[in-house]
Amino acid sequence: MGMLSLHSLLCQLGMLLVSALVCQAQASPTAAPKIQLRLAGEKRKHYEGRVEVFHSGEWGTVCDDDFSIYAAHVVCRELGYLDAVSWSPSAKYGRGEGRIWLDNVHCSGRERSLAECPSNGLGVSDCRHTEDVGVVCNAKRIPGFKFISALSNHVEGFLTSL
């Protein structure tokens, strides 16, 4: 009977461990969605512009609500620039089109992607395109930065002719 109770105890401990691991996995934050960023708009240099996001086959914009210099740093680094110089509210670079993908973005500045910053969620916004955010990045690039497009079969600035 001593062996049976020891076996039973070990089984119960095993079940508790499995249960704890499952609960921990469920409580862990999910991976950030895959997005692609670009700078666009009117009257601008290559290192500044309206922040645009590509997600689910569609380009859209980012709302200026709660945007900060920390979020601008994340955007600029994601695009291969050293950091941000400033950001601009109220569609300074013109009104974008399509969905407003991000609203109420709260970055600490340490994120590797804008998608990692807490927000209302992709596509959840109460903004209009008059609130599209823009950034001015440091013109200096991150040494050795390799731009990898999240878009399948798409290489920025590269054309082939057959």
Side-chain angles (χ1 to χ4, degrees):
M1 187 134 177
M3 287 299 263
L4 185 57
S5 63
L6 180 60
H7 182 263
S8 178
L9 182 64
L10 287 174
C11 286
Q12 288 177 350
L13 281 173
M15 297 274 276
L16 284 172
L17 280 173
V18 169
S19 178
L21 289 173
V22 168
C23 289
Q24 184 179 15
Q26 289 174 346
S28 297
T30 56
K34 297 281 186 214
I35 63 168
Q36 181 83 43
L37 299 182
R38 71 179 177 191
L39 299 179
E42 306 162 359
K43 301 176 188 163
R44 66 183 192 89
K45 297 186 168 112
H46 69 280
Y47 53 83
E48 65 180 321
R50 180 179 55 251
V51 179
E52 294 196 345
V53 175
F54 187 81
H55 178 69
S56 296
E58 185 180 347
W59 283 102
T61 61
V62 177
C63 183
D64 60 13
D65 291 354
D66 296 334
F67 203 83
S68 69
I69 191 66
Y70 302 112
H73 287 313
V74 173
V75 167
C76 292
R77 282 196 308 271
E78 190 169 351
L79 290 170
Y81 298 99
L82 286 178
D83 58 10
V85 174
S86 64
W87 67 277
S88 303
S90 307
K92 176 183 177 183
Y93 296 96
R95 296 177 188 180
E97 296 178 354
R99 295 185 61 173
I100 298 174
W101 279 119
L102 291 168
D103 186 9
N104 298 107
V105 177
H106 294 270
C107 298
S108 68
R110 294 183 298 272
E111 296 86 356
R112 290 180 298 162
S113 169
L114 197 62
E116 294 176 8
C117 299
S119 71
N120 290 354
L122 279 166
V124 181
S125 175
D126 61 356
C127 293
R128 297 178 181 269
H129 285 297
T130 54
E131 299 173 84
D132 287 342
V133 75
V135 298
V136 178
C137 299
N138 183 327
K140 293 182 182 171
R141 306 286 292 176
I142 297 171
F145 180 85
K146 299 275 190 255
F147 180 80
I148 311 259
S149 178
L151 313 176
S152 59
N153 299 323
H154 181 79
V155 179
E156 280 297 309
F158 182 74
L159 292 173
T160 57
S161 55
L162 301 174

